[in-house]
Amino acid sequence: MSRRVSLPGADELFRTTGGMALQSSSPRRDEPAAGEQGPGPGQAEPAVGSPRRPQEGSVSPESRRGNGGGQGRGANRRPSGRERHDEKITVYVSAEELMDLEHARLVLRGEHGLAVDRGRIVREAVAVVLADLESRGDASILVRRLRGR
């Protein structure tokens, strides 16, 4: 008798949250075994790599574009929060700035009932500052801070 323990694989331990999930290394119990009939016509399962469906509360690409009716780029900009983001940047901050950001997150949760992550706070702050720059130009808070005034 072997003393080896059979352990589950990572794909069996962690649940997927939608989107482009990994295929399990072992067939699921409700899947047909090799040689058995798969899903019938009209019952095809979505393929790996197929487009993700939008998350609840997210903004569709059509509504994200807004109506550019003569207004500047930032006029209709308002991050919706929980949505998939395709672009990424890395920003290095000091320990003090990171603590300030975390403190703001806790204040928003504790005093205002807003459970948001740091990324959402940063996206909202960027949207506010860019809208201010667009509408006020030289008098914007961003220009004044960068000039040291």
Side-chain angles (χ1 to χ4, degrees):
M1 180 170 181
S2 174
R3 300 189 103 201
R4 292 193 112 173
V5 177
S6 176
L7 298 174
D11 54 346
E12 296 164 341
L13 290 174
F14 302 104
R15 66 182 175 87
T16 59
T17 57
M20 298 168 57
L22 294 174
Q23 292 289 328
S24 175
S25 60
S26 59
R28 293 187 307 204
R29 295 177 213 278
D30 59 344
E31 288 181 354
E36 289 185 14
Q37 206 51 319
Q43 297 176 344
E45 295 180 15
V48 172
S50 62
R52 292 176 53 168
R53 67 173 207 258
Q55 294 178 342
E56 186 176 326
S58 68
V59 176
S60 68
E62 293 80 24
S63 63
R64 214 179 288 147
R65 288 185 193 107
N67 62 356
Q71 298 176 352
R73 253 181 76 190
N76 292 329
R77 184 181 303 153
R78 185 180 184 290
S80 65
R82 188 100 176 132
E83 63 182 82
R84 180 179 175 169
H85 300 285
D86 296 325
E87 304 299 327
K88 177 184 176 184
I89 65 169
T90 301
V91 178
Y92 291 89
V93 296
S94 68
E96 183 180 358
E97 290 166 331
L98 184 59
M99 290 300 293
D100 289 344
L101 184 57
E102 185 63 19
H103 176 72
R105 186 186 71 80
L106 294 173
V107 167
L108 286 168
R109 186 176 72 187
E111 296 179 15
H112 304 285
L114 296 169
V116 295
D117 60 23
R118 294 181 303 205
R120 170 93 187 264
I121 296 168
V122 170
R123 287 189 298 276
E124 289 289 341
V126 167
V128 167
V129 168
L130 293 178
D132 181 54
L133 174 64
E134 179 116 6
S135 66
R136 299 181 64 205
D138 263 356
S140 70
I141 187 72
L142 181 61
V143 171
R144 288 184 291 154
R145 288 181 64 108
L146 291 174
R147 286 187 176 153
R149 292 193 250 159

